[in-house]
Amino acid sequence: MQMQMALTHHSTSLQSNCLCHWREQLVEHRHMQGLERRAEAWFADHIFPQCLDSWVEFTCQRRQHRERTEIAQLHNKQHQYTWAFYTWWGRSEERKEQRLAERMALLHEERSCLMRAWDHWQRRARQQQEEREKQRASDTLYRRTLVHNTLSQWKDNVTVIRDRYYTTGSSLKYQ
């Protein structure tokens, strides 16, 4: 009986130890469940909103980055269009100015040629006018000289003829 009692005592003590151990485990398990619930509640109250806020902020930043990238691309595209337009405009203006300069040079050359021709014509006309005036003056002088010489010779000849006549006429009278 003692054995029986020892076995019973041993089995009771084992059961008691197991039950105590099970209770400790149960208390610890319940304590852990409470901690888990508190952690989940804390997560739901603190971390989850922070995560949502972070996610919202991240999506906003991503959207802003995308918008900025689109704006930058649009600005770059507009800048390229503007550069292309003003480059084209500048080159067309340069070509227009070059054509105008060429035309002005041609007109200037033509005008210069016309002015040289006009000056040459005027100079030649003046020279011819001067030559005609000189010729007229020369002709007038020649005629005057010719008339003067003719009259001088006539006068001399008249005197000589008269002298001859008188000398011949008086000698005829006396002959």
Side-chain angles (χ1 to χ4, degrees):
M1 221 183 203
Q2 248 187 353
M3 189 76 152
Q4 184 75 14
M5 265 182 62
L7 276 175
T8 309
H9 177 41
H10 180 61
S11 115
T12 309
S13 132
L14 272 176
Q15 283 177 353
S16 174
N17 278 342
C18 282
L19 191 55
C20 271
H21 187 55
W22 179 78
R23 270 191 218 142
E24 286 174 6
Q25 288 294 323
L26 183 63
V27 167
E28 188 176 328
H29 179 67
R30 284 185 182 160
H31 177 64
M32 290 304 278
Q33 280 181 340
L35 287 177
E36 279 182 20
R37 266 183 265 141
R38 279 181 54 202
E40 285 176 2
W42 189 81
F43 177 77
D45 290 344
H46 295 89
I47 301 296
F48 185 67
Q50 286 178 357
C51 288
L52 284 178
D53 290 344
S54 296
W55 181 78
V56 167
E57 186 178 335
F58 172 74
T59 55
C60 285
Q61 286 177 354
R62 192 170 56 181
R63 183 176 39 79
Q64 286 175 347
H65 178 70
R66 192 175 342 124
E67 288 173 354
R68 287 178 185 157
T69 303
E70 289 172 0
I71 290 171
Q73 288 173 346
L74 180 64
H75 175 73
N76 188 33
K77 195 174 191 179
Q78 287 175 345
H79 179 70
Q80 288 175 348
Y81 286 155
T82 304
W83 177 83
F85 174 75
Y86 282 112
T87 301
W88 169 80
W89 182 263
R91 288 183 183 160
S92 67
E93 287 296 315
E94 287 173 4
R95 282 194 299 271
K96 188 190 298 182
E97 287 176 7
Q98 184 178 8
R99 285 192 303 265
L100 180 63
E102 289 171 358
R103 179 153 171 74
M104 293 296 289
L106 286 173
L107 290 173
H108 177 71
E109 180 62 27
E110 184 178 311
R111 184 175 173 89
S112 296
C113 286
L114 288 173
M115 290 301 292
R116 283 194 303 270
W118 175 251
D119 288 342
H120 180 71
W121 180 84
Q122 282 183 330
R123 190 171 49 252
R124 288 295 296 151
R126 277 194 305 268
Q127 287 174 351
Q128 287 177 354
Q129 181 67 29
E130 288 171 2
E131 286 175 12
R132 279 194 299 268
E133 287 175 4
K134 285 178 184 177
Q135 187 64 41
R136 269 192 231 118
S138 174
D139 289 345
T140 304
L141 181 63
Y142 174 73
R143 277 191 224 110
R144 281 187 184 165
T145 306
L146 187 63
V147 167
H148 178 70
N149 287 343
T150 303
L151 286 176
S152 291
Q153 281 181 355
W154 177 76
K155 203 175 180 187
D156 289 343
N157 284 340
V158 166
T159 308
V160 169
I161 291 174
R162 199 181 291 146
D163 286 343
R164 267 192 214 161
Y165 174 74
Y166 287 128
T167 56
T168 348
S170 54
S171 65
L172 279 178
K173 250 187 196 184
Y174 294 111
Q175 285 181 355

